[in-house]
Amino acid sequence: MPRHYAIVPAAGSGARFGAEKPKQYLDLLGRPLIFHTLAALTAHPAIERVWVVLSPDDAEWSRHDWLALGPKLETVRCGGATRAASVTNGLRAAAMAAADDDWILVHDAARPCLSAAMLDALVAGLADDPVGGILAVPVADTLKRADAAQRVAATEPRDGLWQAQTPQMFRYGRLLEALENCPGVTDEAGAIEALGLAPKLVRGDSTNLKVTYPADLALAAMILRARQ
Ligand code: C5P
């Protein structure tokens, strides 16, 4: 039986958020934001180990207490210049444990509202899948393309469009090969697509938001509080 492992890229600087420290360490209900992200993964019975990919010069991780997350957690200080580089380096660090057919779930540090139900849906929905896939939601809003003056240049059809989320779940060997062949992608599915494969879209929901701007942090707090 293939095993399930998680990799959490957490080496971003969070420039768009504009805070004094990387967004993964901002306070969310009394804990660093990434604590909630990691808690969702370490608590899931199918996931055997969680690698957190930190920036080599991360000074914040060691200021917090992670003991409550238990023994599945492992840190590697090999973050790269892009998200894809951080994930690729994390995959290489996982080589001593992961076999080619094992499943890897890559999940953004900045998505703290991942629920057990969403993880269940992803793991069960892809168990027999030959390619793997991602959590995603169909686009609900009407899409506008902007011109240089920030006026509407066109209304884009949204039929068949989905927003990609994480976790993104693929076999270890194929994912590493895909990212090494295609390092310019913004998500793992993009690298798998470049191999000519079609990842499955597993329907998640919009509560699995990525904290990018300050308003997202308040929303994440509301979502987590409502679940308590
Ligand atoms: O910046 P963005 O929100 O798209 O980043 C998505 C995830 O990738 C975050 O968890 C961030 O910490 C991570 N990342 C990384 N290494 C980078 C850039 C982003 O691990 N160089």
Side-chain angles (χ1 to χ4, degrees), residues 65-153:
D65 181 2
W66 308 97
L67 272 178
L69 295 174
K72 291 183 187 177
L73 198 63
E74 205 167 302
T75 55
V76 284
R77 289 181 171 268
C78 57
T82 62
R83 180 184 184 285
S86 297
V87 173
T88 306
N89 293 346
L91 287 168
R92 289 186 187 130
M96 79 289 271
D100 278 359
D101 280 347
D102 288 337
W103 289 109
I104 301 287
L105 287 82
V106 180
H107 184 55
D108 291 331
R111 291 187 192 269
C113 301
L114 176 66
S115 67
M118 285 183 243
L119 263 175
D120 287 343
L122 186 72
V123 169
L126 297 176
D128 300 318
D129 197 273
V131 177
I134 68 174
L135 280 182
V137 287
V139 169
D141 296 319
T142 298
L143 297 175
K144 303 293 184 190
R145 183 170 299 280
D147 66 12
Q150 206 180 303
R151 303 191 74 88
V152 175

Side-chain angles (χ1 to χ4, degrees), residues 9-12 16 23-24 53 80-83 86 108-110 210-212:
R16 282 175 293 177
K23 61 187 177 182
Q24 56 269 29
V53 182
T82 62
R83 180 184 184 285
S86 297
D108 291 331
K210 185 169 73 168
V211 173
T212 306

Side-chain angles (χ1 to χ4, degrees), residues 15 29 36 41-42 59 72 85 91 99 102 107 110 119 132 172 183 194 202 223 226:
L29 304 183
H36 302 274
L41 294 166
T42 54
K72 291 183 187 177
L91 287 168
D102 288 337
H107 184 55
L119 263 175
Y172 176 81
V202 177
I223 291 165

